[in-house]
Structure formats: C-alpha cells, structure tokens
Amino acid sequence: MEVSIPMIWDIVLVLIIAPLAWWFNQVHNEVKRLNILLNMTRENYMKREDHQSELNRVVDHLLRLEGKIDKLAEKH
C-alpha cells in the first residue's frame, strides 16, 4: 500500500475534525443545559416587590407578637 499526500491529508483532517466536532457537541450540550437551568431560575426567582410584601407581612406578625408579649409582661 502506497501512502500518498492526499491520503496523509485526509488522515490529518480526520484527526483534527473529529475531536473538534466532539468538543463542539459537548459545548453545545452544556450551553443547552445551562440555558434550561437559567430558565428554571427565572421561573423560581422571587421579584423584589413580592419579597418586600412578604417581608412586610413578617414584620407585621412580629409587631403583633411583640404587642402580645408586652401585654403578658404588664399582667405579671
């Protein structure tokens, strides 16, 4: 079997193209996975207004508890 220049060139191209194609596929899959995770994060993210309203509810409950504790302390 005689080795010709085009045959060597084909072998070199295969040894370069195949790993690049595999790498590109891996990067593409990782980007797709990260995109899915980002979308899930956006869906589960609490907006600032929602957080503020929840925080206000907690503060209101704490103030009510504080008032009840003060009433109990005054009785004793």
Side-chain angles (χ1 to χ4, degrees):
M1 181 169 131
E2 190 176 315
V3 179
S4 64
I5 298 295
M7 181 187 252
I8 293 173
W9 181 246
D10 288 343
I11 291 171
V12 168
L13 284 178
V14 166
L15 292 176
I16 292 174
I17 298 292
L20 283 176
W22 176 83
W23 176 78
F24 181 77
N25 186 34
Q26 295 299 318
V27 169
H28 178 265
N29 289 339
E30 182 65 13
V31 167
K32 191 184 331 182
R33 186 184 75 83
L34 290 173
N35 193 17
I36 290 169
L37 289 174
L38 179 63
N39 287 336
M40 288 173 54
T41 302
R42 286 181 183 151
E43 291 171 3
N44 296 333
Y45 180 74
M46 181 182 273
K47 301 228 181 331
R48 184 178 301 251
E49 297 83 23
D50 296 338
H51 176 68
Q52 189 62 38
S53 69
E54 293 296 320
L55 185 62
N56 287 340
R57 286 184 60 214
V58 169
V59 169
D60 290 341
H61 287 289
L62 288 174
L63 289 175
R64 286 179 45 215
L65 282 172
E66 183 182 18
K68 290 179 180 181
I69 291 171
D70 286 344
K71 285 181 185 177
L72 283 174
E74 288 173 1
K75 288 183 180 178
H76 290 30

